[in-house]
């Protein structure tokens, strides 16, 4: 990693704040999912090959969206309230990002994340959520996102719908019906606009799918 002197100094000083959180990570029952998160966040932030401590320190220092995700892991019923309060003491989350979903699979990547509400029944592994997204319930129920689902900026996924594995909601889409596997939907209300084929590597790292 090559950082400007100001950023390097900030990262050095923040090790003191990150050390207690690193201890929480080591003791957490959510560690496997946190490791999956780090697996995804690392390539996007040039942290490949760095230790988990270094990755956590950089992401907590520079990516407030990651703070929300980590705090959610600790706050989860399978996590520890003690770990949550320790981490919350040292790191403030992003105010406009709300993660209200109890079951979020590992490997979630949140890009930007401001003005985003995530209140689904469940979210699978290696999903991708952009800014200004609403994933929320209606009187009919909560949405379900399966593995490798992407919800792009400004999209809304509402009610008792399922976005099946590998599907994508395009920017500004309003999803009110189930989305088939590997479909890309767009518009209001959202309709299938194309089908995609993703490489195995793109699924693993939850990057925007590579279209063939």
């Amino acid at each position: 990693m090559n950082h400007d002197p100001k950023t390097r100094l900030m990262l050095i000083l923040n090790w003191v704040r990150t050390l207690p959180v690193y201890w929480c990570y080591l003791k957490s029952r959510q560690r496997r999912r946190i490791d999956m998160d780090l697996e995804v966040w690392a390539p996007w932030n040039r942290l490949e090959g760095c230790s988990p401590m270094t990755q956590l320190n950089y992401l907590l220092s520079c990516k407030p969206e990651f703070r929300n995700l980590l705090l959610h892991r600790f706050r989860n019923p399978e996590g520890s309230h003690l770990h949550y309060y320790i981490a919350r003491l040292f790191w403030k989350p992003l105010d406009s990002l709300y993660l209200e979903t109890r079951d979020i699979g590992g490997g979630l990547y949140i890009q930007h994340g401001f003005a985003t509400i995530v209140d689904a029944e469940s979210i699978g592994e290696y999903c991708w959520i952009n800014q200004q997204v609403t994933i929320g319930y209606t009187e009919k129920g909560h949405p379900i996102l399966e593995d490798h689902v992407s919800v792009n900026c400004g999209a809304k996924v509402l009610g008792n719908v399922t976005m099946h594995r590998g599907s994508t909601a395009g920017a500004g889409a309003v999803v009110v019906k189930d989305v088939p596997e590997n479909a890309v939907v767009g518009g209001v209300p959202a309709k299938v606009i194309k089908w995609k084929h993703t490489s195995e590597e793109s699924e693993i790292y939850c990057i925007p799918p590579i279209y063939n």
Side-chain angles (χ1 to χ4, degrees):
M1 295 183 297
N2 294 317
H3 301 299
D4 61 83
K6 182 179 179 180
T7 301
R8 285 200 298 270
L9 178 60
M10 176 192 69
L11 291 173
I12 292 171
L13 295 175
N14 278 345
W15 272 67
V16 176
R17 301 168 65 196
T18 302
L19 274 171
V21 180
Y22 182 64
W23 177 85
C24 296
Y25 153 78
L26 292 175
K27 300 296 183 180
S28 177
R29 287 174 289 182
Q30 289 281 297
R31 181 172 174 178
R32 177 181 171 274
R33 289 187 175 184
I34 298 170
D35 284 337
M36 294 170 70
D37 297 334
L38 293 175
E39 175 191 5
V40 172
W41 287 72
W44 285 97
N45 294 279
R46 301 179 181 178
L47 297 170
E48 304 100 314
C50 296
S51 68
M53 174 64 186
T54 300
Q55 292 175 349
L56 285 170
N57 187 52
Y58 178 85
L59 293 171
L60 290 169
S61 299
C62 301
K63 299 295 177 181
E65 308 92 331
F66 182 81
R67 300 174 199 168
N68 292 61
L69 180 58
L70 186 62
L71 288 169
H72 178 277
R73 300 294 187 205
F74 291 152
R75 188 181 59 191
N76 188 282
E78 296 179 4
S80 165
H81 284 262
L82 174 63
H83 296 164
Y84 168 79
Y85 287 117
I86 290 173
R88 182 65 179 82
L89 177 65
F90 290 98
W91 294 99
K92 180 183 178 181
L94 181 65
D95 290 336
S96 61
L97 172 59
Y98 302 93
L99 301 178
E100 303 296 338
T101 301
R102 174 174 176 172
D103 184 14
I104 297 180
L108 175 64
Y109 191 83
I110 304 171
Q111 188 180 40
H112 307 310
F114 65 88
T116 293
I117 300 172
V118 181
D119 192 355
E121 182 70 26
S122 63
I123 295 176
E125 296 180 345
Y126 297 111
C127 289
W128 176 289
I129 297 174
N130 277 94
Q131 71 273 23
Q132 296 181 307
V133 162
T134 299
I135 301 172
Y137 65 90
T138 67
E139 68 279 0
K140 296 181 179 180
H142 292 70
I144 295 173
L145 276 61
E146 295 185 348
D147 298 343
H148 303 288
V149 168
S150 300
V151 184
N152 291 341
C153 58
K156 295 176 176 59
V157 184
L158 305 174
N160 184 24
V161 300
T162 298
M163 292 191 65
H164 289 280
R165 180 183 176 92
S167 60
T168 295
V174 178
V175 178
V176 292
K177 294 183 179 179
D178 289 356
V179 180
E181 184 172 332
N182 290 328
V184 180
V185 297
V188 182
K191 298 179 180 179
V192 176
I193 56 177
K194 69 186 303 181
W195 300 88
K196 66 188 182 186
H197 301 282
T198 60
S199 70
E200 182 178 349
E201 181 180 2
S202 73
E203 284 197 347
I204 290 173
Y205 289 106
C206 188
I207 61 175
I210 300 172
Y211 302 127
N212 297 324

